[in-house]
Amino acid sequence: SQQGEEDPQALSIQEGENATMNCSYKTSINNLQWYRQNSGRGLVHLILIRSNEREKHSGRLRVTLDTSKKSSSLLITASRAADTASYFCATARSGNTGKLIFGQGTTLQVKP
Amino acid sequence: DVKVTQSSRYLVKRTGEKVFLECVQDMDHENMFWYRQDPGLGLRLIYFSYDVKMKEKGDIPEGYSVSREKKERFSLILESASTNQTSMYLCVSTPGSGNTEAFFGQGTRLTVV
């Protein structure tokens, strides 16, 4: 079964607009992480939010976490063409062993 | 600089062959993972190891096995390669509780013909 599920699967916006993508999960977690993957490249870590945190910022990125709803959102403000990529959430299971499960990803296209 | 190293960048194997994918990390991490990445399916967990000789099945373990005899090394074995195992394989490591970013190998593009 899928732990992290992203929504939407694909998103197309104009440069300058904001992009929001969501991630839902099923089990208790230690943290939730977001990664970006440009076409043909490896995954790049964007941000990690711990289970006791509700919101975190990094530059143009804002991540929220709602553990009661088992969901997270990633907001990219003032998007640029260079933000075109696939975005994945990953959840680290709570407990002593951090089993890490990735979602299927959201493909974001930012049109210039 | 932290390192996760996969033994091969590209591999071509024949159907029915036994295939070994090796991964080594130099960060003394407890957790090591094998995922496969296919277009539109994200990263799917094959197997996870949280300590030497300890393993746990992921979402798609069928046709695969793993070995972790030393803390730094995690091997993925395809017992009898099939064409539907053609994929990008990613090795990942994290420390015990997993409360840091994950560290990725460069990936192995496996083609089974």
Side-chain angles (χ1 to χ4, degrees), chain B residues 6-112:
Chain B
Q6 294 181 228
S7 53
S8 303
R9 190 73 178 92
Y10 298 95
L11 272 181
V12 180
K13 296 291 183 181
R14 296 196 179 277
T15 300
E17 276 194 81
K18 191 168 186 175
V19 181
F20 293 86
L21 303 183
E22 307 283 347
C23 176
V24 177
Q25 51 96 1
D26 64 0
M27 296 164 283
D28 202 35
H29 283 171
E30 287 77 12
N31 303 322
M32 297 185 75
F33 307 78
W34 277 106
Y35 300 90
R36 60 177 285 178
Q37 185 174 21
D38 302 286
L41 298 178
L43 279 72
R44 292 181 292 167
L45 181 62
I46 304 171
Y47 266 100
F48 159 52
S49 171
Y50 50 91
D51 202 347
V52 175
K53 297 191 189 294
M54 305 305 289
K55 63 186 179 185
E56 187 175 316
K57 291 180 181 178
D59 292 322
I60 51 164
E62 297 79 18
Y64 303 95
S65 62
V66 290
S67 172
R68 185 129 181 240
E69 296 296 317
K70 293 185 177 180
K71 191 175 185 180
E72 67 270 19
R73 186 180 297 271
F74 191 36
S75 303
L76 179 69
I77 303 143
L78 285 67
E79 298 292 342
S80 177
S82 64
T83 55
N84 63 14
Q85 292 177 310
T86 291
S87 187
M88 172 66 83
Y89 289 86
L90 294 171
C91 176
V92 172
S93 76
T94 65
S97 65
N99 258 331
T100 71
E101 66 179 280
F103 294 87
F104 291 80
Q106 76 275 31
T108 296
R109 172 74 64 185
L110 173 67
T111 302
V112 182

Side-chain angles (χ1 to χ4, degrees), chain A residues 42-89:
Chain A
L43 277 78
V44 174
H45 180 256
L46 295 176
I47 201 161
L48 181 152
I49 185 164
R50 290 185 164 77
S51 59
N52 60 354
E53 297 175 314
R54 292 296 165 258
E55 189 169 312
K56 208 159 181 183
H57 297 253
S58 177
R60 294 183 296 111
L61 305 180
R62 181 173 80 105
V63 168
T64 61
L65 179 64
D66 187 336
T67 52
S68 66
K69 293 182 180 177
K70 290 188 167 58
S71 69
S72 173
S73 67
L74 171 66
L75 168 67
I76 304 173
T77 60
S79 64
R80 305 166 182 168
D83 294 327
T84 294
S86 293
Y87 292 81
F88 296 92
C89 70

